[in-house]
Structure formats: structure tokens, C-alpha cells
Amino acid sequence: MNKLVKIKTCANSFEAQLIRTKLESEGIPAMVADENMGSIYGNAVGAFNPRVLVRDEDEERALAILRECGDL
């Protein structure tokens, strides 16, 4: 069973979706969690910022891609 791990907490949904799209274009399935929580509850201290998640087996490769793009 694959476990999902957070690779980045983003400032907003737009940033999270850009990162998800980049990872998926590289063949890494990704998802965005808590995408709409900030608009419901407000982004108090970043508590509800969107998070980009990948399978634990893809974590190292995903982080390398983000570093390469300057997103980490």
C-alpha cells in the first residue's frame, strides 16, 4: 500500500496546481490537499495552505524535480 507524503506546502491553490501539473508531466502522480480550506477558514498562520502530496516511493524524485525548478 502506498503512503502519501507532503512534499510542499504552498502559498495558494494556483502555486499548488502548477507544481502538481509539473510533477504529473514528469510522470509522478500528485494531488493537492486542503486546496479550498483557506478560503473557507482563512489562511491564519498558514494552517490551511494547500499541500502537494505524492506517493512515498516518488518522494525523492519529486523533490529533485522541485529543486531543479527552484520551487524548494
Side-chain angles (χ1 to χ4, degrees), residues 35-57:
E35 185 171 15
N36 298 311
M37 295 299 287
S39 39
I40 295 169
Y41 294 106
N43 284 336
V45 195
F48 296 111
N49 286 9
R51 299 171 296 133
V52 180
L53 308 173
V54 298
R55 297 179 303 194
D56 58 349
E57 63 195 50

Side-chain angles (χ1 to χ4, degrees), residues 2-41:
N2 292 320
K3 178 181 169 189
L4 293 176
V5 294
K6 177 189 77 164
I7 59 164
K8 180 150 176 101
T9 299
C10 299
N12 54 55
S13 295
F14 182 74
E15 178 187 12
Q17 290 297 338
L18 282 176
I19 291 171
R20 181 193 60 78
T21 301
K22 173 61 178 169
L23 293 173
E24 289 184 347
S25 76
E26 297 285 340
I28 298 174
M31 68 174 284
V32 177
D34 300 332
E35 185 171 15
N36 298 311
M37 295 299 287
S39 39
I40 295 169
Y41 294 106

